[in-house]
Each structure stands twice: as C-alpha cells, then as structure tokens.
Amino acid sequence: MASTSASSAAKADQPVAIVCVGMAGSGKTTFMQQINAHLHGKKEPPYVINLDPAVTHSPFESNIDIRDSVNYKEVMKQYNLGPNGGILTSLNLFATKVDQVLGLLEKRTAPKPDDPTHTPIKHILVDTPGQIEVFVWSASGQILLESLASSFPTVIAYIIDTPRTSSTSTFMSNMLYACSILYKTKLPMILVFNKSDVKDPAFAKEWMTDYDAFQAALQEDETNNAFGGAEGSGDGMGSGSGYMGSLLNSMSLMLEEFYAHLNVVGVSSLYGTGIDEFFAAVQEKAEEFKRDYQPELERRREEREENKKKARERELNKMMKGMSMGDAAGDVTVGDVNDKEAPEPLSTDEESSDEEYGDDPNDEYDREGLQARYAAAMQGEDDSVLADASFAKYLHSQR
C-alpha cells in the first residue's frame, strides 16, 4: 500500500513538458525567453531543450541543445542540402539520441529525498524550429514528441502572430493549421495569441465563441473586397469573394467542435502580460493529459508491444518450420526457446497421416526411400537419356 501511494505521488509530481511550435515570425523564441524568465523569477527553474539547429543566437540558456550534437552547416555541406533539408536531416540525426535525452530528463527530474537542497523541476520547455512543418510533419519530430509524451505530461503551445491574424481568412488559416497539428500530435493544445501589445486578441476569442460575430466580420471583409477578387462586378464584391466567403463560413461551422477542446490565451512576449494565465492553462491541460490522453497512449503502447510479440512468434515459427530437424533436435520445441505456451496437440487427420508412414514421419524422406521412388519414376526410360541427363550435355546435344 505504501509503495502504491508513493508511486501515485511521484506521478502527480511529474514535470509538465511544454513544446512551443509556431510559424516563423510569430515570436516563438521571445515567448520562450519570457516564460523561462518567469519561472526563474518564481524560483522554479525549468529544464530547457533547444531543437532548432539553425538558430545563431538564443536569448536563453539551454540544458540540452541540438547544436551541441549536430553541426547544421556541416550537415548542409556534406549532404548537399538547402536550409529546410539541413534542419530536417539534423533533427533526424538528433532523434537517434532520443534515449539519451530521456535518460537525462528522467535523471534530472527524479526526486532526491536525501538531498534537501535539491529543487525539483516542474516544467520542461522545448523550443522547435521556425519551419513548423519540418518538426510537426517529420518522422523525427513524431519520435521526439511521442518519446517525451511517454514519460511526461506533454502540452503543445501553438504560438500565433495576432496582428497577422486580424482578417477572417488568415485567422481561419491559422485555425486549420492548429487543427492539423492537434490531430497529428494527439496531444493537448493551447493557442497562444502573441503580441497582444500590438493587437488585442479579444477579437479572435470572440470569433471562436460567437458564430454570429465571425459571420459579421466575414460579411465586412466581403464588402471591403478583402479576399482580393477582381473588381467591377457592380455588387461591391470581387468575383471570387462569394466562393471564399462560403468556404470560410463552412470551415467555421466545422471547427466549432475543435474550438471547444482548446485553451486560448493572449500574451505579450515583450512585456510579459498574460504569462500567469498561460501557466494556468498549462496546468489545466496537464490534468487533461493525465485524464484523457495518457490512458490512450498506454493502450497504444501495449498494442504495439503485443504486435511486436506476435511478429516475433510468427518469425520464430517460420524459422522452425524451415529447419530440417533430426532426432537430436526433436526434443527442442518453440515453447522451450521462447517460453511460450505448449504447441497444440495434433488433430485426428494429422495423426492418421503420420500412421501411414509408420512411427517416424521422417522415414518418408530417408535416402533409401528417395532412391527407390526415383528409380521407379525413371523405369522405362532409355539408358542414353540417363547418360545425357546433365544440363550441360543436354544443351550441347541441342546445338
């Protein structure tokens, strides 16, 4: 009972991993700097991981930095790659060391009851490349995310450039991108509307909760020809705006359920406003991860292990069937090798087929039996045919 309570307490004290993703120019690195400084100010220093191999200057110190393991410029040079290919290849190379990363994280986050000066880590911050598709849609990104989520509650923070999302079309583009990331990663997500000091994100929150407000904004954009259609139609709208308005209207209806599962916060990475609200949302999503996502991750992990186990059994059975086993090897069974269940007893048909060939079914395949059947099959053939039976002589005789 004591060990169970200690285990549950350790699970409750697990640090939360915050993976920051966002398009280039959204202020993701500045946001990372702000939340890092906020946690240091609260005397709760986080564990920081940098996964951007192309960054030349980082405003915060990283505990694990991909640049210490992979030389981005050297990767581009050796593999003859461009910037995006270099980032992707660098991530692929770094993903081969994911077990070492997890080992360092588990060692650093493990409680130390005998050390009263030890400060437990409550947050793991992960910075990702600005080329968001390189991380989210790559195999290496999936490996890193799934490995992290298998050990710690993991939350995706999707950073949005608020001033660039003021129109209905760009807003909907960001929402669709966020939706794709949510269903690709299958992890809890927080929408972080950054640069609130430049543009108040209240309009975005209203559009996500009030369908009529989004419809009014959509109508205004159509009237102002915000979608870039050809003018001169006489109705005050471009020729393509009707189609665009209908498309955005349909997508807003589709995303209504998607909005219900998101936390939305507005922050200013420059001044630090909204950071407390962000960490409150992180705590809420961490509880959601433990409640809804972790059981699913464990189920998928058990399913993968079961599939691997079955695949090993099938390969072993194929190998054993392909081997010609004599009497000496007859005592060794699959159950002895793999510690599996004993093989099923033979059916009645299989027993009767064995009786036709005597006690040992391998007698059918002994040397004398093969020679006798071969001689019987060749009875009546001319001796010259037997003499010229080799393939080389046969080809020579056909010339």
Side-chain angles (χ1 to χ4, degrees):
M1 182 67 70
S3 61
T4 305
S5 60
S7 175
S8 59
K11 272 192 172 182
D13 294 337
Q14 278 186 313
V16 181
I18 304 172
V19 182
C20 296
V21 299
M23 296 184 184
S26 61
K28 177 171 54 62
T29 301
T30 311
F31 174 76
M32 278 281 299
Q33 179 191 16
Q34 188 62 243
I35 60 177
N36 183 33
H38 177 83
L39 292 173
H40 275 282
K42 294 179 64 177
K43 307 299 182 183
E44 297 177 357
Y47 199 87
V48 183
I49 302 175
N50 174 44
L51 295 179
D52 189 353
V55 64
T56 56
H57 171 70
S58 179
F60 51 86
E61 293 291 331
S62 300
N63 299 92
I64 297 176
D65 198 326
I66 187 176
R67 296 175 296 174
D68 296 335
S69 304
V70 183
N71 189 327
Y72 166 68
K73 291 184 178 179
E74 193 64 25
V75 168
M76 291 177 61
K77 180 180 178 181
Q78 289 189 8
Y79 294 95
N80 195 24
L81 299 170
N84 288 346
I87 294 174
L88 179 60
T89 305
S90 298
L91 280 171
N92 290 340
L93 293 171
F94 187 75
T96 62
K97 306 294 183 182
V98 67
D99 55 335
Q100 298 180 16
V101 174
L102 290 179
L104 290 171
L105 285 173
E106 290 172 355
K107 181 180 179 181
R108 185 64 182 84
T109 58
K112 297 180 180 178
D114 54 341
D115 186 4
T117 61
H118 173 70
T119 303
I121 292 176
K122 295 184 178 180
H123 297 91
I124 300 170
L125 306 183
V126 182
D127 192 18
T128 61
Q131 289 79 356
I132 186 172
E133 66 281 354
V134 171
F135 178 77
V136 174
W137 297 101
S138 66
S140 54
Q142 183 177 359
I143 290 171
L144 291 167
L145 278 177
E146 288 187 354
S147 300
L148 197 61
S150 66
S151 301
F152 307 99
T154 305
V155 178
I156 301 292
Y158 179 52
I159 317 301
I160 299 174
D161 189 344
T162 307
R164 295 183 182 178
T165 319
S166 55
S167 70
T168 53
S169 57
T170 54
F171 169 80
M172 190 56 63
S173 298
N174 268 286
M175 293 302 103
L176 290 174
Y177 215 127
C179 181
S180 66
I181 293 172
L182 176 67
Y183 287 104
K184 177 66 172 65
T185 61
K186 297 181 177 63
L187 293 171
M189 176 182 286
I190 302 172
L191 295 186
V192 181
F193 283 89
N194 197 13
K195 306 180 183 180
S196 62
D197 53 303
V198 180
K199 176 76 174 178
D200 190 351
F203 73 93
K205 296 180 182 180
E206 185 182 15
W207 287 354
M208 295 176 68
T209 55
D210 189 347
Y211 177 76
D212 293 333
F214 182 78
Q215 289 300 306
L218 182 60
Q219 185 67 33
E220 183 179 353
D221 283 349
E222 288 180 337
T223 304
N224 296 332
N225 194 26
F227 302 133
E231 297 183 1
S233 59
D235 57 358
M237 295 188 295
S239 60
S241 62
Y243 168 77
M244 180 62 75
S246 176
L247 177 63
L248 294 176
N249 183 31
S250 300
M251 287 191 293
S252 66
L253 286 172
M254 177 196 70
L255 293 177
E256 187 175 0
E257 181 69 19
F258 167 68
Y259 295 150
H261 295 85
L262 295 177
N263 285 50
V264 182
V265 296
V267 302
S268 171
S269 297
L270 184 61
Y271 297 108
T273 57
I275 299 299
D276 288 326
E277 183 183 356
F278 169 74
F279 278 104
V282 167
Q283 192 60 36
E284 182 180 339
K285 285 300 178 183
E287 296 299 324
E288 180 181 329
F289 177 90
K290 297 174 185 177
R291 183 182 66 250
D292 300 332
Y293 288 80
Q294 200 162 29
E296 176 64 16
L297 287 174
E298 292 176 355
R299 186 194 65 80
R300 285 159 54 193
R301 189 184 306 115
E302 291 175 358
E303 184 177 345
R304 284 196 300 268
E305 291 299 324
E306 185 65 24
N307 291 336
K308 288 180 182 178
K309 180 180 176 182
K310 291 180 179 178
R312 286 195 297 267
E313 289 179 355
R314 287 196 298 268
E315 291 301 322
L316 184 58
N317 289 336
K318 285 181 182 179
M319 182 185 70
M320 298 301 289
K321 288 179 181 178
M323 292 173 61
S324 177
M325 302 174 63
D327 293 336
D331 295 333
V332 181
T333 64
V334 176
D336 296 332
V337 173
N338 215 26
D339 198 21
K340 306 297 180 185
E341 296 180 0
E344 296 181 1
L346 296 175
S347 64
T348 306
D349 294 338
E350 291 170 333
E351 291 175 353
S352 61
S353 62
D354 290 343
E355 291 173 359
E356 294 177 5
Y357 302 109
D359 295 335
D360 187 359
N362 289 325
D363 287 345
E364 181 194 5
Y365 303 106
D366 60 16
R367 185 176 182 83
E368 294 180 0
L370 286 173
Q371 289 178 345
R373 286 192 298 278
Y374 178 74
M378 297 301 295
Q379 283 181 359
E381 297 289 344
D382 188 75
D383 291 341
S384 61
V385 176
L386 295 175
D388 297 334
S390 70
F391 187 62
K393 290 182 179 180
Y394 175 74
L395 288 178
H396 183 73
S397 66
Q398 296 298 315
R399 291 181 179 179

